[in-house]
Amino acid sequence: MSEQKLAAELRTEFGKGFARRARAAGQIPAVIYGHGAEPIHINLPGRATTLAVRVSNALLSLDINGEEHLALVKDIQRDPIKQIIEHMDLLTVRMGEKVTVDVSVHVIGEAAIGAVANQEATTVSLEAEATHLPTFVEISIEGRNAGEHVHASDIVLPSGSTLLTDPETLIINISEAASASEEEEEAPAAE
């Protein structure tokens, strides 16, 4: 994944009133923390930041008064109605540093005829280098029959990544598709 470059401004004022004024001016208040350093309070450009964080585990290269900071998005607070970003927490990282992230699981392929795939887990935890974070991992269920299971240990990991989720965690369960007569029998019983 490539890093997104953003220009940020240091902020010296704090509180709800200042945050509202910053958002009205098209900026997003944020804080950078980590590595035992003092937190850095900044404002980010609203539109560019919103586009940059659309992918999971976004890595941001921030230019703060000519000084470069590499940061990973840890938390985003959104307005519950408008879904605009109100505040962001960023974790400072270094080149070559390993970080723990949750990565989504994408299922590809079709199960065998008469079988249905049920996805039990949608994410897995990985440890990967901060500058080479995967956005997702793929699992192929092509031709799998009813009764088969896919566990976390079956995932082919991107190079340089280590699985932190329990290897026995069930990711996908392949079961038999319910026939029309079975569904009709279950309907009266449910009533």
Side-chain angles (χ1 to χ4, degrees):
M1 174 172 68
S2 63
E3 58 192 65
Q4 301 289 325
K5 295 187 183 294
L6 297 172
E9 301 172 359
L10 279 173
R11 62 183 166 114
T12 55
E13 299 180 60
F14 307 100
K16 289 183 196 175
F18 177 74
R20 283 188 192 115
R21 286 191 298 276
R23 284 190 289 273
Q27 297 180 322
I28 299 172
V31 63
I32 305 171
Y33 59 91
H35 293 294
E38 287 292 317
I40 303 170
H41 299 275
I42 58 172
N43 281 331
L44 295 167
R47 180 162 171 71
T49 303
T50 301
L51 292 174
V53 300
R54 286 172 53 184
V55 298
S56 61
N57 304 320
L59 183 65
L60 305 176
S61 177
L62 304 173
D63 180 12
I64 306 171
N65 296 338
E67 190 177 324
E68 286 289 319
H69 288 273
L70 204 56
L72 187 64
V73 176
K74 283 313 269 184
D75 190 37
I76 298 175
Q77 291 91 42
R78 294 183 187 273
D79 179 275
I81 306 294
K82 299 177 185 174
Q83 290 297 306
I84 60 170
I85 298 173
E86 290 188 334
H87 187 272
M88 291 176 47
D89 290 337
L90 306 172
L91 179 66
T92 189
V93 293
R94 296 185 181 116
M95 292 283 209
E97 177 182 7
K98 295 264 187 175
V99 294
T100 300
V101 292
D102 288 336
V103 179
S104 63
V105 176
H106 290 191
V107 180
I108 57 173
E110 294 288 328
I113 296 173
V116 176
N118 301 309
Q119 189 168 357
E120 305 292 333
T122 57
T123 62
V124 292
S125 292
L126 300 178
E127 182 180 66
E129 188 177 325
T131 55
H132 300 304
L133 294 175
T135 53
F136 62 89
V137 292
E138 288 182 340
I139 293 181
S140 175
I141 60 166
E142 189 64 42
R144 291 196 182 245
N145 296 309
E148 291 187 43
H149 305 292
V150 179
H151 294 91
S153 59
D154 298 329
I155 298 173
V156 177
L157 299 174
S159 64
S161 299
T162 307
L163 181 69
L164 298 179
T165 299
D166 180 13
E168 294 302 312
T169 301
L170 180 63
I171 305 294
I172 299 173
N173 178 23
I174 310 291
S175 60
E176 287 186 32
S179 66
S181 61
E182 289 175 355
E183 289 178 8
E184 289 174 7
E185 290 173 11
E186 290 176 8
E191 292 174 5

